[in-house]
Amino acid sequence: REDGDRKAEAQAANNIGNAYGQADQFEMAVSWLRKAFELDRGIGDLHGGAMASTNLGNAYLRLGDPEKATESFRVALTIFRQMHDRHGEAETLNNLGIAETDLRLYDRAISDHQAALGIYLESGDRHSRAITLNNLGRSHFLLGQFAEATRCLEEALEIYRDTSDEYRLAETMHNLQLMKQAGRTKDL
């Protein structure tokens, strides 16, 4: 087969995997996304491979397997860095932080979220920065660093107010309220 045909096949496998993920059929999503990654790797498509690996990590997260998610995100991170794709790197660092938080590796999660924040600050991507601040706040909260968690969520709130993202604004306000109500419990 021609590389163009294999690239189209890889893109189709990635799309099918994502469709299964949207339908909450994560085992099927994983199967298709693995196929997409292998096809992309076979033709040397770095971007396609990084995206398939990222999508695979997200599917593993939804399956409740943060260890496999972490492996997939690390593969994607390596590829994005090799490509000098700073946006892909930041998104992957944020996703990696989510998986690490689920694994209770809070210090690593905080480090990865902070690295993503630095890239978003550099690029001026305020929306992604606010999303990452929410995730960073959750990691701080679960580590027992309540003041830092509150600071992160309040900073995210300001960005959502400025950007008129009503859904994320409401979500963050809800999380902040839950955190305040919970006091020192770890239910966020």
Side-chain angles (χ1 to χ4, degrees):
R1 286 180 286 188
E2 297 291 321
D3 276 354
D5 293 340
R6 291 178 69 209
K7 182 168 180 57
E9 188 179 347
Q11 287 174 335
N14 195 39
N15 292 341
I16 292 168
N18 286 336
Y20 274 116
Q22 291 294 318
D24 293 338
Q25 295 181 29
F26 301 110
E27 290 169 0
M28 289 296 295
V30 164
S31 176
W32 281 97
L33 292 166
R34 277 188 193 144
K35 180 178 181 175
F37 178 75
E38 292 303 322
L39 287 165
D40 285 323
R41 188 169 66 176
I43 60 172
D45 181 354
L46 293 177
H47 186 263
M51 294 306 297
S53 192
T54 297
N55 293 335
L56 186 57
N58 286 326
Y60 280 129
L61 273 180
R62 297 291 305 271
L63 274 172
D65 193 341
E67 289 168 344
K68 286 186 180 174
T70 298
E71 292 172 20
S72 294
F73 292 140
R74 288 197 189 286
V75 168
L77 183 60
T78 298
I79 296 169
F80 282 126
R81 284 179 171 162
Q82 182 181 352
M83 293 174 18
H84 305 288
D85 181 337
R86 297 287 281 164
H87 183 75
E89 180 181 351
E91 282 188 2
T92 305
L93 284 163
N94 190 37
N95 287 334
L96 188 55
I98 293 167
E100 290 164 339
T101 297
D102 289 352
L103 289 168
R104 296 187 170 123
L105 301 171
Y106 303 123
D107 289 330
R108 269 198 228 168
I110 288 168
S111 177
D112 286 334
H113 287 312
Q114 288 174 334
L117 282 175
I119 295 169
Y120 290 137
L121 194 58
E122 238 174 57
S123 70
D125 184 346
R126 296 183 74 218
H127 185 262
S128 296
R129 193 167 134 232
I131 291 169
T132 303
L133 282 163
N134 265 312
N135 294 327
L136 178 60
R138 179 175 179 257
S139 297
H140 279 297
F141 179 77
L142 293 171
L143 190 57
Q145 299 172 342
F146 306 111
E148 192 60 24
T150 300
R151 186 199 63 75
C152 290
L153 292 176
E154 288 176 347
E155 189 175 341
L157 274 177
E158 289 306 311
I159 294 170
Y160 292 138
R161 282 186 182 112
D162 289 348
T163 60
S164 300
D165 186 336
E166 297 297 324
Y167 173 79
R168 298 261 187 201
L169 177 65
E171 179 183 58
T172 304
M173 289 173 74
H174 177 74
N175 287 341
L176 191 56
Q177 188 61 36
L178 283 176
M179 188 177 73
K180 288 178 179 179
Q181 286 175 350
R184 299 212 178 272
T185 62
K186 296 184 179 184
D187 294 330
L188 184 65

